């Protein structure tokens, strides 16, 4: 699979100040200023061309393997931030059940860079962990506790009771759907990843393998909302879809089909040293996590929506 990625220029593009000039006549100075202005405009045009230059980057999906441990764990930490979730154990479980799930790597990365380490660098992954089948493992219990506690802080008691009942019903297994990638990887890559995962889950169901029997998918999505709206006294669970900005754009279609959904702020957990303060069009944004519970029967319609909007 192939995608396009923008190459960003490093630095602010400001011209280096010249050495102090010797004294000149006024006409000479005016001519030189005009020449300098023209040069600056040409330099600026060239820099803009470099900023807008598209570099073709080819990505390819691979089965999850032991070599992907560090990359998957890093992406899980990007999702859970400082929440008390054992991401190392979660990563190990995803690798063990490698009959489902994929990682995204750059095609022929080692040939382009000459660095053997780049060969194992992953740019994203997709997989699923059955919270019902993995009941009793530390990471599964921590994830359920995290979701329930955040729901209790942001939702009415009736919603908390509903979520608790759904997560505890062994007859209707809940699978944690994990689809993480770096922010500069375009959403078009999500379509083949989700399509492949659905095929693998159907095969797991047919052969009675782990994760093959899910009634609901639980999705924790990285979202943002305008800081002014998030500071209101209104419950965060009541954010409308048009107020939310999804880091993974395709997850908006999952949101539309969710039977239970709420959001909670991760402003205090976000590392502004790495990412700065989030803003879109100079509007300050508050980072959230939006939790969704989607019936598995809705996946066919969601996949149609993904294909409609992400096909290239």
């Amino acid at each position: 699979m192939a995608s396009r990625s923008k190459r960003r220029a490093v630095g602010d593009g400001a011209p280096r100040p010249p050495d102090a000039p010797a004294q000149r006549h006024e006409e000479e100075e005016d001519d030189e200023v005009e020449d300098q202005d023209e040069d600056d405009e040409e330099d600026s045009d060239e820099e803009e061309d470099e900023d807008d230059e598209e570099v073709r980057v080819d990505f390819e999906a691979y089965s999850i393997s032991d070599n992907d441990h560090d990359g998957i764990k890093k992406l899980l930490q990007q999702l859970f931030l400082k929440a008390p979730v054992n991401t190392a154990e979660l990563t190990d479980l995803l690798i063990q059940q490698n009959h489902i799930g994929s990682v995204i790597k750059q095609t022929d990365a080692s040939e382009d860079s000459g660095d053997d380490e780049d060969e194992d660098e992953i740019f994203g992954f997709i997989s699923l962990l059955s919270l019902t089948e993995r009941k009793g493992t530390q990471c599964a219990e921590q994830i359920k506790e995290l979701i329930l506690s955040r729901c209790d802080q942001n939702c009415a008691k009736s919603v908390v009771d509903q979520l608790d009942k759904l997560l505890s019903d062994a007859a209707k297994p809940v699978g944690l759907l994990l689809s993480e990638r770096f922010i500069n990887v375009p959403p078009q890559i999500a379509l083949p990843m989700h399509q492949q995962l659905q095929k693998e889950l159907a095969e797991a169901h047919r052969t009675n393998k782990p994760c093959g029997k899910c009634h609901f998918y639980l999705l924790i999505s990285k979202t943002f909302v305008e800081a002014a709206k998030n500071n209101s006294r209104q419950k965060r669970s009541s954010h409308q879809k048009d107020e939310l900005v999804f880091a993974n754009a395709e997850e908006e279609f999952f949101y539309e089909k969710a039977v239970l959904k709420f959001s909670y702020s991760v402003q205090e957990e976000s590392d502004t040293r790495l990412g700065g303060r989030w803003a879109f069009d100079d509007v300050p944004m508050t980072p959230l996590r939006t939790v969704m519970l989607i019936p598995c029967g809705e996946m066919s319609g969601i996949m149609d929506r993904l294909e409609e909007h992400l096909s290239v």
Side-chain angles (χ1 to χ4, degrees):
M1 60 187 75
S3 263
R4 289 186 179 272
S5 175
K6 287 280 188 180
R7 183 171 68 186
R8 299 181 61 117
V10 177
D12 58 8
R16 182 177 297 177
D19 295 331
Q23 186 174 0
R24 294 176 176 84
H25 295 297
E26 291 183 3
E27 291 182 1
E28 292 176 344
E29 290 177 351
D30 291 342
D31 290 342
E32 185 160 309
V33 169
E34 290 177 2
D35 292 341
Q36 182 65 42
D37 289 342
E38 292 177 359
D39 291 342
D40 288 346
E41 289 177 4
E42 291 177 0
D43 291 343
S44 178
D45 290 341
E46 290 177 1
E47 287 163 2
E48 288 179 3
D49 289 342
E50 289 178 2
D51 288 346
D52 293 336
E53 180 185 355
E54 285 190 345
V55 178
R56 186 170 182 82
V57 178
D58 292 330
F59 294 111
E60 193 166 345
Y62 297 84
S63 297
I64 295 175
S65 70
D66 291 339
N67 293 336
D68 303 319
H69 187 278
D70 291 345
I72 292 174
K73 182 180 176 183
K74 183 186 297 183
L75 287 164
L76 288 173
Q77 289 171 335
Q78 172 181 287
L79 174 66
F80 290 110
L81 298 174
K82 298 178 182 178
V85 173
N86 188 339
T87 54
E89 182 189 45
L90 178 54
T91 302
D92 289 338
L93 291 176
L94 295 177
I95 292 174
Q96 288 171 18
Q97 56 175 42
N98 62 359
H99 62 284
I100 63 167
S102 306
V103 292
I104 307 167
K105 297 182 182 182
Q106 184 178 342
T107 306
D108 298 329
S110 59
E111 293 180 9
D112 294 339
S113 65
D115 189 346
D116 292 339
E117 293 183 0
D118 289 341
E119 189 174 354
D120 291 326
E121 182 179 3
I122 73 170
F123 291 81
F125 80 94
I126 190 169
S127 191
L128 183 137
L129 183 82
S130 174
L131 296 178
T132 306
E133 293 175 355
R134 297 294 183 172
K135 180 181 179 181
T137 61
Q138 185 182 50
C139 62
E141 296 304 316
Q142 288 173 329
I143 290 168
K144 288 189 286 186
E145 183 178 346
L146 170 68
I147 297 306
L148 285 169
S149 65
R150 296 297 185 267
C151 184
D152 184 51
Q153 294 166 7
N154 293 278
C155 302
K157 185 178 185 300
S158 59
V159 179
V160 181
D161 292 342
Q162 179 188 7
L163 179 59
D164 189 22
K165 182 178 179 181
L166 290 171
L167 290 176
S168 303
D169 189 353
K172 296 179 179 179
V174 176
L176 175 66
L177 179 59
L178 294 162
S179 177
E180 292 299 314
R181 61 180 181 266
F182 290 122
I183 196 168
N184 61 330
V185 177
Q188 284 77 13
I189 207 166
L191 176 60
M193 299 292 284
H194 276 286
Q195 289 173 330
Q196 180 63 26
L197 180 64
Q198 288 303 306
K199 291 178 182 177
E200 292 167 347
L201 290 172
E203 179 64 16
H205 179 75
R206 188 184 69 82
T207 55
N208 200 31
K209 289 184 178 180
C211 299
K213 299 176 181 178
C214 285
H215 194 84
F216 290 101
Y217 291 139
L218 179 69
L219 181 61
I220 306 173
S221 180
K222 300 188 296 296
T223 55
F224 304 88
V225 69
E226 287 185 25
K229 293 181 180 179
N230 194 64
N231 289 336
S232 68
R233 300 180 69 86
Q234 191 178 19
K235 284 280 188 182
R236 292 191 180 95
S237 60
S238 62
H239 284 313
Q240 299 300 311
K241 186 187 73 171
D242 58 357
E243 293 180 344
L244 293 171
V245 177
F246 290 80
N248 290 351
E250 72 279 1
E251 291 173 1
E252 178 179 332
F253 303 126
F254 291 83
Y255 187 88
E256 293 173 351
K257 298 298 184 180
V259 295
L260 186 152
K261 50 198 171 190
F262 68 92
S263 299
Y264 61 92
S265 174
V266 290
Q267 179 71 57
E268 300 302 318
E269 301 176 40
S270 298
D271 193 345
T272 55
R273 293 174 302 169
L274 296 178
R277 294 191 178 278
W278 283 98
F280 292 88
D281 295 329
D282 295 328
V283 177
M285 306 291 285
T286 298
L288 308 174
R289 292 295 178 266
T290 296
V291 178
M292 311 170 228
L293 199 66
I294 305 108
C296 291
E298 298 287 353
M299 282 305 297
S300 177
I302 293 173
M303 296 304 296
D304 289 342
R305 293 276 279 159
L306 291 179
E307 190 165 5
E308 177 185 352
H309 286 79
L310 298 180
S311 294
V312 293

